[in-house]
Amino acid sequence: MTKTLALPAHPKSGVRARDYLLPAAIALACAGAAYAGADTTFDPALQKFTDFLEGSGGKIITVLSLAGGLIALASGRFALGQVAVPVGVGIGVGTGVPIVTSVVTAVI
């Protein structure tokens, strides 16, 4: 004969929700407005990184990725990823930075 263990309903189940609702309501009432995008602390670093990827740094990354793909092809085993990854890196470095920058600017 198999017995199943049934847990009894807790008589104070509504007390738990009330314990969380009051502090949440107080925190919501005291919360101030947050302004995303008003801070310019990291603008110089973002500009340097963007310039690096859009300039010679992006070209170096693309050439290194292409060289890695060619070395992998020379190893004797062909896989589509050996060609697709360098192409994807080149497209991502060339057009990805302006796309991400415009999306972030539009959201903020």
Side-chain angles (χ1 to χ4, degrees):
M1 180 167 36
T2 306
K3 289 186 176 184
T4 58
L5 180 64
L7 297 175
H10 197 280
K12 296 183 180 181
S13 60
V15 175
R16 190 93 167 146
R18 204 175 2 180
D19 290 343
Y20 291 112
L21 287 177
L22 182 61
I26 291 171
L28 185 62
C30 296
Y35 298 103
D39 186 26
T40 59
T41 304
F42 296 106
D43 278 352
L46 176 65
Q47 188 61 41
K48 283 188 179 268
F49 191 67
T50 302
D51 290 344
F52 173 77
L53 286 179
E54 289 179 342
S56 60
K59 292 176 186 172
I60 290 171
I61 292 170
T62 304
V63 167
L64 288 175
S65 178
L66 182 61
L70 290 175
I71 291 170
L73 282 174
S75 70
R77 294 177 304 194
F78 177 77
L80 186 59
Q82 295 167 344
V83 176
V85 169
V87 170
V89 167
I91 291 172
V93 169
T95 61
V97 175
I99 291 172
V100 170
T101 305
S102 66
V103 168
V104 170
T105 305
V107 170
I108 293 175

